Structure formats: structure tokens, C-alpha cells
Amino acid sequence: MNGGQVMVVMIVLIVMIAGIVKSRHKSGRRAEGTSLMNDPEAARLRDEVQQMKERIQVLERVITDNHKSVDLDREIERLRDR
């Protein structure tokens, strides 16, 4: 390669690297500028998670209450057998 070709390759590399750096810098600013607190999709997902937590609490309560009643039934039957 002669000097002119090396210069062309160097210029192309510099332009490509500058484009990559600029693109990354731009996407970083966008990520900082958008807040999850104002995002409607994030709010919808937070509401859905809250509803699921409430359902899980109800299911846990039903399971534990049902388990207690089954234990109570067994205890009563055991006492009757005596």
C-alpha cells in the first residue's frame, strides 16, 4: 500500500469509529431521559404485579386455612376413635 491508500483507510476507520461512538452516546442519553415512572407500560406492569401478589396472598390463605381444617377434621376423628 502506498501513502495515499493508507490515508484513505485511516479516514474510513476514523469515520466509522466516530459513528459508533456517536450512536452509543445518543442511545445512552435516551436511556437517561426516559423514566420508568412515567412509562405507561411500566405502570401497567406494576399494577399487574400488584394484582398477582394479592392473588397469591389469597391463595396462600386459602391453602393454609384448608390445611388447618383438614388437620382439625383428622384430630376430631382421632378423638372419636378413642
Side-chain angles (χ1 to χ4, degrees):
M1 276 190 181
N2 64 20
Q5 290 174 334
V6 170
M7 281 296 241
V8 170
V9 170
M10 292 296 288
I11 291 171
V12 169
L13 284 174
I14 291 170
V15 169
M16 288 176 59
I17 291 171
I20 292 170
V21 169
K22 184 178 176 182
S23 174
R24 285 190 180 176
H25 182 69
K26 228 182 202 183
S27 67
R29 265 203 236 153
R30 251 185 285 149
E32 291 173 4
T34 60
S35 172
L36 291 179
M37 297 305 288
N38 297 329
D39 186 15
E41 179 68 11
R44 185 187 67 76
L45 291 173
R46 275 193 302 274
D47 290 342
E48 187 174 340
V49 167
Q50 183 61 36
Q51 289 174 355
M52 293 180 84
K53 284 181 178 181
E54 291 170 1
R55 288 180 180 181
I56 289 172
Q57 287 176 349
V58 170
L59 288 173
E60 287 174 342
R61 189 173 41 230
V62 167
I63 288 171
T64 56
D65 288 349
N66 189 23
H67 182 67
K68 288 177 185 176
S69 67
V70 169
D71 286 347
L72 182 60
D73 289 343
R74 286 182 186 159
E75 190 68 27
I76 291 172
E77 288 301 319
R78 191 175 60 83
L79 290 171
R80 282 186 186 162
D81 291 342
R82 285 186 181 176

